[in-house]
């Protein structure tokens, strides 16, 4: 008898390799190669996705894993064969994640540390990822537009940014 379930066929052993960086955004967003997918990736589709990022780790020494999800999305789909020009990605920042969009000087003034997210945001933006800051978060947390990375666009609110993106065909994937 093979397998764990009575009557179920034994599954062939698969070798699991470590997650690999890139190919679009490295070193952020490492992903696994998935073999034998039952649901193939549609290579002819345009992917319009928005990541709603409202949380940030309390520590200041690592990137925000919720923000890094955008890099994973780009990397995994590129590895699966989706051309970069078929992926439109947006990130809406609000809540505690608002601080992750600060330029180095204002971040260091507030937290006496380097912003671990700044380089990743720049790299993502260089591939075409759009970033929106919730204006309500910015005002309530004293994050003026002048203190934000230049890649960040101010919106009235996170709700407004999501509604605008949805009207342009984007779907929230997280």
């Amino acid at each position: 008898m093979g397998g764990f379930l009575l009557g179920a066929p034994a599954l062939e052993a698969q070798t699991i390799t470590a997650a690999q960086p890139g190919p679009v955004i490295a070193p952020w967003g490492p992903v696994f190669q998935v073999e034998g997918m039952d649901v193939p990736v549609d290579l002819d589709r345009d992917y319009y996705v928005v990541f709603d990022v409202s949380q940030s780790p309390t520590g200041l020494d690592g990137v925000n894993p919720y923000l890094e999800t955008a890099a994973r999305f780009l990397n995994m789909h590129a590895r699966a064969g989706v051309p970069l020009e078929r992926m439109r990605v947006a990130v809406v920042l609000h809540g505690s994640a608002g601080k992750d969009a600060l330029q180095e000087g204002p971040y260091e003034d507030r937290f006496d540390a380097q912003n671990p997210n700044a380089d990743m945001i720049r790299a993502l933006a260089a591939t075409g990822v759009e970033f929106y800051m919730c204006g309500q978060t910015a005002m309530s947390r004293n994050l003026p537009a002048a203190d934000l990375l230049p890649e960040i666009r101010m919106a009235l609110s996170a709700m407004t940014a999501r509604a605008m993106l949805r009207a342009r065909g984007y779907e929230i994937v997280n």
Side-chain angles (χ1 to χ4, degrees), residues 1 6 8 10 17 32 37 39-40 50-51 68-69 71 73 83 87-88 90 93 95 100 122 137 145 163 171:
M1 302 219 155
L6 188 58
T17 58
F32 295 95
M37 293 179 280
V39 181
V50 59
F51 293 92
E68 189 176 18
T69 300
F73 180 88
M87 294 184 270
R88 305 287 187 269
L93 296 161
D100 298 332
R122 284 187 193 100
T137 291
E171 56 185 296

Side-chain angles (χ1 to χ4, degrees), residues 16 38 40 58 70 105 116:
I16 305 296
D38 294 320
T58 55

